[in-house]
């Protein structure tokens, strides 16, 4: 056979065999698409100085120590990523090792669930000043509402950053690299703030659908039982878990709408904490207590009294921002606070004049038509006999923050259809 004819036969024979092979072994089905969905977050705050009315409760630095912190997911997933924050830090943050596991009790983790974290394949990582980093995916499949423990080893002097003041959850610090330890020593230091650990993201089969609760200490859960996950956004997450809607708590104790407080103003941080969240579909804003209550008191003794029109202008801006981002917005009315922090050095949130401002703002929230929906927390929580006070059964005891029962009632009062619109259907 001439060479050209042989080459042609081989080419056609190879093509025929390829066709036979193709018919005999169909191509594999493409892998199903998955998505990364935010499931928990803690809004970060700048670390304030020692001249502020409240101490931070933080050490000056960590050095050669493991920090173990606990958080509860809102939705579950097939894999997990952990977000580490050096926001507010002025120097690089070096993490020598990091682990994540299902949380047991106290500082303990559930046996068999511990996984090391990697960052670009490496066990250690340096986080630049002001930055956040996200871990590589971890092969752990936590269900909705699962508690996870994240352990970070800080081998070098590390000043606190990625700070969240009111964790309502115990953190543990022990000497040495104990990131994989089943339980930290009984002598481990305990405190109730967060550092460095600011988010959990899970892999889901559907695109993310997220609700963000933006507020102050009432959203942050002050007055709720520590470690019990009884803040009102926690109870809302329990209602929405079956719908695979994540709930993120962007509350900051001492947070204000218009000015920096114990954190950046809500108008400033909304871009990061709300509108930058993947899949954000709706937000609930509950702010104004500290804008009205701080001026002239121990938190802001030199500030002039707040006018209702100024608070209304800020809340109206939130409504416009939400619409510009195609995010539904529900506003909560401001709860009453007569006798707030009575008998303590922090007393001063309430006065008859301040309460008139609060009531004027609440009237506008109810009647102004600026929001997609309103949840009337004021009507829910107030004492019918003394409308400027919290109902005793809802009060944590400080007359400013609801307790567990009050927070459960707040979450139950949220109309899911009004909050979510077309997303509300299971």
């Amino acid at each position: 056979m001439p060479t050209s004819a042989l080459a042609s036969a081989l080419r056609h024979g190879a093509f025929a065999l390829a066709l036979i092979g193709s018919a005999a072994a169909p191509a594999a089905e493409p892998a199903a698409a998955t998505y990364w969905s935010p499931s928990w977050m803690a809004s970060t705050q700048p670390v304030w100085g020692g001249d502020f009315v409240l101490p931070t409760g933080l050490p000056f630095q960590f050095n050669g120590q493991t920090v173990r912190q606990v958080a509860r997911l809102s939705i579950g997933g097939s894999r997990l990523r952990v977000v580490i924050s050096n926001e507010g830090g002025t120097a690089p943050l070096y993490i020598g090792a990091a682990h994540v596991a299902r949380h047991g009790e106290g500082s303990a983790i559930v046996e068999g669930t511990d996984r090391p974290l990697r960052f670009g394949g490496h066990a250690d990582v340096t986080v630049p000043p002001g930055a956040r980093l996200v871990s590589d995916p971890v092969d752990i499949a936590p269900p909705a509402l699962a508690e996870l423990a994240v352990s970070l080893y800080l081998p070098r002097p590390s000043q606190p950053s990625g700070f969240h003041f009111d964790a309502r959850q115990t953190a543990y610090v022990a000497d040495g690299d104990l990131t994989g330890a089943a339980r930290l020593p009984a002598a481990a230091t305990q405190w109730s703030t967060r550092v460095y650990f600011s988010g959990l993201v899970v892999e889901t089969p559907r695109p993310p659908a997220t609700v963000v609760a933006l507020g102050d200490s009432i959203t942050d859960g002050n007055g709720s039982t520590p470690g019990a996950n009884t803040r009102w956004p926690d109870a809302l997450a329990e209602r929405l878990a079956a719908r695979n809607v994540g709930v993120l708590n962007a509350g900051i104790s001492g947070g204000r709408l218009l000015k920096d407080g114990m954190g950046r103003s809500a108008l400033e941080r909304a871009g990061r904490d709300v509108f930058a969240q993947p899949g954000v579909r709706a937000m609930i804003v509950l702010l104004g207590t500290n804008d009205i209550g701080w001026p002239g008191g121990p938190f802001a003794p030199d500030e002039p009294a707040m006018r209702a029109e100024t608070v209304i202008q800020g809340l109206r801006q939130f409504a416009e921002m939400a619409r510009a981002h195609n995010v539904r917005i529900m506003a909560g009315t401001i709860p009453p606070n007569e006798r707030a922090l009575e008998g303590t050095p922090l007393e001063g949130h309430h006065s008859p004049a301040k309460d008139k401002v609060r009531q004027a703002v609440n009237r506008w929230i109810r009647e102004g038509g600026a929001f997609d929906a309103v949840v009337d927390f004021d009507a829910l929580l107030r004492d019918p006999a003394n409308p400027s006070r919290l109902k005793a059964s809802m009060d944590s005891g400080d007359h400013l923050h609801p307790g567990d029962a009050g927070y459960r009632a707040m979450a139950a009062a949220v109309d899911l259809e009004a909050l979510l619109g077309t997303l509300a259907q299971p």
Side-chain angles (χ1 to χ4, degrees):
M1 181 182 292
T3 301
S4 60
L6 177 61
S8 176
L10 288 173
R11 284 196 301 271
H12 285 86
F15 180 62
L17 287 173
L19 287 175
I20 293 170
S22 175
E29 290 290 328
T34 60
Y35 305 85
W36 289 102
S37 300
S39 186
W40 173 85
M41 68 170 284
S43 294
T44 57
Q45 305 164 251
V47 178
W48 52 83
D51 57 343
F52 189 63
V53 66
L54 283 177
T56 62
L58 288 170
F60 170 70
Q61 66 179 17
F62 302 95
N63 189 5
Q65 295 170 305
T66 294
V67 182
R68 178 167 290 177
Q69 299 170 84
V70 176
R72 190 179 78 161
L73 296 171
S74 56
I75 56 172
S78 54
R79 291 191 297 170
L80 176 80
R81 293 178 186 264
V82 176
V83 182
I84 305 299
S85 172
N86 193 15
E87 290 160 293
T90 58
L93 169 66
Y94 178 68
I95 296 173
H99 282 232
V100 63
R102 293 284 299 272
H103 178 233
E105 294 185 0
S107 70
I109 59 175
V110 176
E111 183 179 358
T113 66
D114 180 62
R115 303 286 188 275
L117 295 179
R118 295 285 185 267
F119 300 86
H122 299 281
D124 63 341
V125 67
T126 298
V127 188
R132 290 183 186 181
L133 294 186
V134 181
S135 76
D136 299 346
V138 182
D139 287 326
I140 185 172
L145 307 177
E147 280 194 344
L148 297 175
V150 172
S151 303
L152 307 176
Y153 176 51
L154 305 164
R156 302 173 185 170
S158 305
Q159 291 191 336
S161 61
F163 165 61
H164 186 89
F165 172 70
D166 194 6
R168 313 309 295 173
Q169 183 75 56
T170 302
Y172 304 87
V173 182
D175 292 338
D177 181 359
L178 300 176
T179 49
R183 181 186 296 271
L184 297 189
T189 302
Q190 301 181 20
W191 85 98
S192 60
T193 59
R194 293 193 185 279
V195 289
Y196 311 125
F197 167 43
S198 68
L200 293 166
V201 185
V202 295
E203 189 176 40
T204 57
R206 287 178 289 274
T210 307
V211 171
V212 183
L214 182 69
D216 49 39
S217 57
I218 295 175
T219 298
D220 214 5
N222 194 288
S224 65
T225 301
N229 299 305
T230 51
R231 314 163 189 85
W232 72 260
D234 294 328
L236 182 63
E238 292 164 8
R239 294 185 65 196
L240 287 172
R243 304 175 188 235
N244 300 302
V245 175
V247 176
L248 304 182
N249 188 337
I252 284 182
S253 288
R256 296 199 281 180
L257 169 65
L258 301 165
K259 291 186 177 182
D260 292 352
M262 292 161 57
R264 303 300 184 199
S265 75
L267 283 171
E268 178 180 339
R269 66 187 181 90
R272 177 195 66 184
D273 288 352
V274 180
F275 301 119
Q277 297 299 330
V280 60
R281 304 292 184 86
M283 64 181 294
I284 305 174
V285 58
L286 174 56
L287 285 159
T289 293
N290 296 321
D291 295 81
I292 298 167
W294 274 27
F299 286 91
D302 300 324
E303 285 188 11
M306 179 58 65
R307 298 170 62 247
E309 293 78 7
T310 306
V311 178
I312 289 168
Q313 182 180 17
L315 290 172
R316 183 182 285 114
Q317 183 57 221
F318 262 125
E320 297 302 328
M321 291 167 66
R323 291 198 174 88
H325 286 86
N326 299 307
V327 171
R328 289 182 65 83
I329 182 167
M330 173 180 282
T333 53
I334 305 168
N337 55 39
E338 185 178 345
R339 300 178 59 206
L341 308 173
E342 189 176 58
T344 76
L346 304 178
E347 184 177 1
H349 271 71
H350 178 85
S351 72
K354 290 178 179 181
D355 203 56
K356 288 181 180 179
V357 174
R358 181 186 69 87
Q359 291 182 41
V361 173
N362 282 348
R363 280 193 299 273
W364 176 81
I365 292 173
R366 294 184 187 105
E367 301 169 8
F371 304 100
D372 296 302
V374 170
V375 54
D376 200 341
F377 292 138
D378 172 40
L380 172 74
L381 296 170
R382 69 189 178 208
D383 183 346
N386 297 284
S388 60
R389 298 182 184 181
L390 289 173
K391 192 181 302 182
S393 62
M394 302 288 187
D395 193 342
S396 67
D398 69 4
H399 313 306
L400 176 61
H401 303 99
D404 293 349
Y407 286 133
R408 283 194 297 271
M410 289 174 69
V414 175
D415 183 323
L416 299 185
E417 281 66 31
L419 172 66
L420 299 174
T422 57
L423 187 65
Q425 299 303 317

